Structure formats: C-alpha cells, structure tokens
C-alpha cells in the first residue's frame, strides 16, 4: 500500500529543458552551443547541483572556459531560474494529493540557491511534508545514499512510497531499492499511470 509520494522537481513539477533554455536566451547559434555544452552539460554544473560549488564560484570558471563575459554568464543563470516555470498539470495532481491521506516529499538535484528562489516564488512547495535538495545534502541522484537519507530522515519505507522522476537512471536505482516508480513524461498516459497507482479517480 502506498503511503508516500516523492516528486522530482526539474522536468516533473517545473519545466527543465536545456535546449529550450539556451534557445530562449540567445539567437546566436555559436553561443547556444557553448552554453549548452560548456555550462549546462559541464561537470561544474553537477558540482553546483551537488552543493560542492556555489554560483559565485562557477561564474568566473564558466566565463574563463567559454570566453563569455562574467556578467553575461550571470544573466544566463538568472534566465535559467526564470525558465523553471510550473508544470500546471503536475501541480494540479499535487494539489489533489494534498487532500488525500498521502505524505508528500521532494527529492531533487538542484543547487540550494535555485531551490530557495523556487520556494519563495511558489507557495505550494510549503505544502510538502519534507524533502531533500542535493545542493544542501552534498549528495545527489542517482546515488543510493540520497534515497537512503530521505528514508532515514522521514521514516519512509520504499515499498510504501511512489517515486516520480523523469530520469531513467534515477528510476532504475529507486526500483532496485524497492520503491514503486513512475518515469515521468508530460503525457496523459503518464498521469493516468500515477493516478492508477494512487487509486485516484
């Protein structure tokens, strides 16, 4: 029996589409390619998510590597935060679950500054019963440790929990650990699958 529902943030509750993010920031194709490859897909971005580096530290590093001025990199990071808009259908699902006897948690790979911005901006995040942000924990999905930490901190049992994430590696590790899982996509089929698992009609 499922008692807990665990949501990822990026690409589940909030839009996260790196290609769209760079395309809406600049019309220059060379700059788009650089920002995608040398910022969003670079290991320094993972360090930001992991919390081992801060935004103030990565800006000069990204700038030196890409030859893009620091102010432009800073503008891009602000743009990224503005791009994290709510996925309305997931929010509707979340609101529906707050009226059900489920405990609701989040488990997200995100730098703490981004999370804090989202928390201030979106009131509904305060309705979660708890959750972990990789940037505050210094450990991230798909590492088993972050799942174990979530369970320990909130006394969760994997088999009583449904984990919703878009990333197949994260889903794979959660499934191996005994969680019920749904790999998320913004499709009616996916929402039906979640509702079926949670007996929502």
């Amino acid at each position: 029996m499922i008692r807990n529902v665990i949501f990822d943030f990026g690409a589940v509750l909030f839009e996260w589409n790196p290609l769209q993010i760079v395309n809406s920031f600049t019309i220059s194709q060379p700059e788009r390619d650089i920002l995608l490859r040398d910022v969003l897909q670079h290991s320094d971005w993972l360090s930001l998510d992991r919390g081992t580096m801060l935004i103030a530290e990565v800006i000069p590093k990204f700038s030196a590597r890409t030859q893009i001025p620091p102010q432009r990199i800073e503008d891009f990071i602000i743009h990224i935060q503005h791009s994290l808009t709510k996925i309305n259908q997931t929010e509707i699902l979340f609101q529906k679950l707050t009226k059900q006897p489920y405990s609701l948690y989040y488990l997200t790979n995100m730098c703490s500054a981004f999370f804090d911005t989202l928390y201030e901006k979106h009131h509904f995040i305060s309705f979660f019963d708890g959750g972990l942000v990789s940037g505050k924990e210094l450990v991230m999905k798909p590492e088993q440790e972050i799942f174990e930490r979530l369970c320990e901190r909130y006394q969760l049992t994997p088999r009583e929990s449904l984990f919703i994430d878009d990333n197949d590696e994260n889903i794979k590790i959660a499934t191996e650990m005994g969680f019920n899982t749904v790999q998320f996509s913004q499709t009616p089929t996916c929402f039906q699958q979640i509702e079926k698992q949670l007996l929502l009609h």
Side-chain angles (χ1 to χ4, degrees), residues 2 5 8 34-35 37 42-43 49-50 61 83 85 91 100 107 117 135 150 153 168 170 176 182:
I2 294 171
V5 186
D8 175 30
I34 290 167
L35 290 171
R37 184 185 65 237
H42 193 272
S43 58
D49 274 354
R50 190 184 284 279
K61 291 189 75 170
S83 302
T85 53
E91 193 202 358
Q100 301 283 334
L107 187 61
T117 302
L150 181 77
R153 196 164 298 173
D168 52 358
N170 299 342
E176 285 168 3
V182 170

Side-chain angles (χ1 to χ4, degrees), residues 2-195:
I2 294 171
R3 300 177 192 277
N4 317 298
V5 186
I6 305 157
F7 287 88
D8 175 30
F9 267 16
V12 176
L13 264 165
F14 297 95
E15 295 287 357
W16 175 254
N17 183 328
L19 202 58
Q20 214 171 304
I21 290 169
V22 297
N23 288 353
S24 57
F25 179 69
T26 176
I27 57 167
S28 157
Q29 195 54 52
E31 193 179 32
R32 285 173 174 178
D33 295 342
I34 290 167
L35 290 171
L36 193 62
R37 184 185 65 237
D38 298 329
V39 176
L40 292 180
Q41 292 172 348
H42 193 272
S43 58
D44 283 350
W45 190 263
L46 291 180
S47 300
L48 199 57
D49 274 354
R50 190 184 284 279
T52 50
M53 283 174 75
L54 301 172
I55 289 175
E57 294 173 274
V58 294
I59 289 174
K61 291 189 75 170
F62 284 140
S63 177
R65 189 182 316 106
T66 59
Q67 302 299 301
I68 295 172
Q71 185 56 55
R72 182 77 176 148
I73 294 287
E74 194 175 331
D75 289 347
F76 180 55
I77 287 174
I78 291 165
H79 173 76
I80 295 167
Q81 297 195 53
H82 289 313
S83 302
L84 291 166
T85 53
K86 282 188 301 188
I87 296 174
N88 290 328
Q89 205 175 347
T90 318
E91 193 202 358
I92 290 165
L93 169 69
F94 175 80
Q95 299 292 4
K96 195 187 276 189
L97 291 176
T98 61
K99 297 173 179 68
Q100 301 283 334
Y102 291 110
S103 297
L104 304 171
Y105 301 93
Y106 51 82
L107 187 61
T108 179
N109 284 353
M110 186 177 284
C111 78
S112 53
F114 277 27
F115 176 81
D116 293 343
T117 302
L118 285 179
Y119 194 91
E120 282 168 28
K121 198 170 163 183
H122 298 289
H123 180 59
F124 77 88
I125 299 174
S126 62
F127 290 111
F128 277 98
D129 294 287
L132 300 186
V133 180
S134 62
K136 296 179 192 287
E137 300 295 326
L138 310 184
V139 60
M140 64 198 291
K141 300 176 293 185
E143 293 156 20
Q144 198 167 322
E145 190 184 339
I146 198 165
F147 291 93
E148 288 168 348
R149 202 175 287 185
L150 181 77
C151 290
E152 280 164 24
R153 196 164 298 173
Y154 298 104
Q155 306 296 299
L156 308 184
T157 305
R159 68 172 183 276
E160 292 178 350
S161 308
L162 174 65
F163 174 62
I164 304 166
D165 196 297
D166 64 303
N167 181 290
D168 52 358
E169 283 295 309
N170 299 342
I171 289 291
K172 185 172 177 280
I173 191 85
T175 306
E176 285 168 3
M177 290 176 73
F179 287 89
N180 299 279
T181 58
V182 170
Q183 185 164 356
F184 186 81
S185 60
Q186 284 190 56
T187 60
T189 313
C190 177
F191 284 99
Q192 284 160 13
Q193 202 183 342
I194 294 167
E195 297 207 349

